[in-house]
Amino acid sequence: MSLFPTYNRFPFTIESGEGTVVRDDHGKEYLDFVSGIAVCNLGHRPSVVKKAIQDQMERVWHVSNLYQIPIQKEAAQLLTEAAGLDYAFFCNSGAEANEAAIKLARKHTGKDKIITFQQSFHGRTFATMSATGQEKVQEGFGALLPTFEHLPFNDTDAVLELNDDSVAAIMVEVVQGEGGVVEAEESFLQAIENKCAELGALLIIDEVQTGAGRTGTPFAFQHYGLSPDIITSAKGLGSGFPVGAMAGKAYLSESFSAGSHGSTFGGNPLSSAAVKATLSTIFNDQFLHEVNEKSSYFMKQLKENLENVQGVAEVRGKGLMIGIEVDEQAIDYVHKLREKGLLAVLAGPKVVRLLPPLTVSYEELDQAAEMLQTTLSKQSANLKL
């Protein structure tokens, strides 16, 4: 073997894909409701992104951030305007975006502590692993960074009781993805925003999985009327190109001056072309309206089809980010769905997560709903034997 065994890979290879459909190395077709874990928001090989990348490849691929990159500025403008923020920094992943946010918050405030929440996921670098509220991510790596504190998610009282002037920022996901597709309560988020103002701390919202239209708005925080100081994004930004971004308010720019942070590959011409084409498509009122229509349609089907299925505890989600909580180990359901022709992913041990492309058709949603009902009903019956 030439690869470290860091992944529990499924026993098949995806050889090709277009839109919502992928094919394995034996020619079998699947509906892909994983989308590279919320990455392929426009489906596989979207023509608008493919053309933008091909056009850029005919000019220049990489120059580093030593030089002006006009298309990077164009991508940044799309991102910041949609988020209601002012400046962006491009990097290569969600973890790097969160690292940048942590560094900026500490540098700007001159304080050290970052508050995050139990069951959160912010990345696998040392800072973002320390920020993550899941022991399974942290086990075996020795002492974590000491300046992170994890409060219970959706516990408004715990936020209200915070009284610590050393807090630089509170970082939160408005929908916990890896933590089980759990939506934050509006009162909880409002308490966080108010507490940040009280403590002179920054509000950081991790939109790595929820951004780029996944929940039916450009960014998920916009469902709740929040005004974050910083957001982070990645996954769906580049339709499969590795790219992450941190965006923030204008007053923070003085703390990220030349030489304070950087990235060799971040926002290079190819990735910026992918971002510009992706966001130009998604950040469109009609496109997002259709995402919300599809979400309502699919959630209604799932709740009706699965409400009487033994072993299904709850169907929940926001936009096209959906979790089905089951009583048994969810991996058994994921394997059976794959055999049936539907790709799904876990969100913790007992949640089947569905992340279809935002371009999924109603016919494909119907097919997925039927496969889910049949497979979950059968698997539940088998597990009870």
Side-chain angles (χ1 to χ4, degrees), residues 186-263:
E186 188 167 357
S187 58
F188 171 69
L189 294 172
Q190 191 59 61
I192 291 172
E193 186 171 54
N194 292 341
K195 182 59 67 171
C196 285
E198 178 188 324
L199 297 177
L202 304 187
L203 173 57
I204 302 172
I205 298 186
D206 181 336
E207 293 268 5
V208 169
Q209 189 166 153
T210 52
R214 174 55 55 184
T215 67
T217 51
F219 297 97
F221 77 84
Q222 292 164 324
H223 291 285
Y224 309 93
L226 301 171
S227 180
D229 298 284
I230 297 171
I231 68 163
T232 58
S233 189
K235 291 191 182 290
L237 277 183
S239 294
F241 259 68
V243 59
M246 177 198 69
K249 291 181 175 177
Y251 76 89
L252 296 169
S253 65
E254 65 191 51
S255 298
F256 250 25
S257 55
S260 59
H261 195 51
S263 171

Side-chain angles (χ1 to χ4, degrees), residues 17-19 40-53 238-240 277-278 281 359:
E18 185 173 2
C40 302
N41 284 7
L42 295 178
H44 291 275
R45 297 191 298 118
S47 58
V48 64
V49 181
K50 181 179 177 182
K51 183 180 186 304
I53 293 168
S239 294
T278 300
T281 304
T359 53

Side-chain angles (χ1 to χ4, degrees), residues 212 248 270 288 350:
L270 281 180
L288 292 170
K350 293 192 174 182

Side-chain angles (χ1 to χ4, degrees), residues 46-238:
S47 58
V48 64
V49 181
K50 181 179 177 182
K51 183 180 186 304
I53 293 168
Q54 287 175 331
D55 288 348
Q56 185 61 50
M57 288 182 77
E58 294 299 322
R59 294 194 291 275
V60 64
W61 297 12
H62 178 78
V63 296
S64 90
N65 286 292
L66 294 173
Y67 309 106
Q68 299 293 322
I69 306 175
I71 197 168
Q72 184 187 102
K73 292 182 180 179
E74 293 167 14
Q77 186 170 1
L78 284 168
L79 176 68
T80 55
E81 284 184 355
L85 295 170
D86 301 293
Y87 291 101
F89 170 83
F90 284 106
C91 49
N92 307 289
S93 68
E96 287 184 40
N98 283 332
E99 282 275 349
I102 291 165
K103 286 180 67 174
L104 177 55
R106 289 178 55 152
K107 191 167 190 291
H108 186 80
T109 63
K111 299 188 283 186
D112 291 341
K113 185 177 283 188
I114 309 289
I115 303 295
T116 62
F117 296 91
Q118 293 169 11
Q119 294 307 116
S120 62
F121 182 83
H122 298 294
R124 294 180 183 273
T125 64
F126 247 95
T128 58
M129 178 176 66
S130 299
T132 292
Q134 298 188 45
E135 288 185 8
K136 68 179 183 180
V137 175
Q138 303 162 340
E139 289 173 356
F141 295 104
L144 301 173
L145 299 184
T147 54
F148 291 88
E149 181 179 343
H150 309 99
L151 299 182
F153 189 68
N154 269 337
D155 187 336
T156 300
D157 288 340
V159 173
L160 294 175
E161 289 167 9
L162 261 179
N163 186 21
D164 188 342
D165 289 335
S166 69
V167 174
I170 302 179
M171 176 185 282
V172 64
E173 301 158 282
V174 295
V175 183
Q176 288 190 333
E178 304 302 318
V181 192
V182 180
E183 184 179 355
E185 296 168 2
E186 188 167 357
S187 58
F188 171 69
L189 294 172
Q190 191 59 61
I192 291 172
E193 186 171 54
N194 292 341
K195 182 59 67 171
C196 285
E198 178 188 324
L199 297 177
L202 304 187
L203 173 57
I204 302 172
I205 298 186
D206 181 336
E207 293 268 5
V208 169
Q209 189 166 153
T210 52
R214 174 55 55 184
T215 67
T217 51
F219 297 97
F221 77 84
Q222 292 164 324
H223 291 285
Y224 309 93
L226 301 171
S227 180
D229 298 284
I230 297 171
I231 68 163
T232 58
S233 189
K235 291 191 182 290
L237 277 183

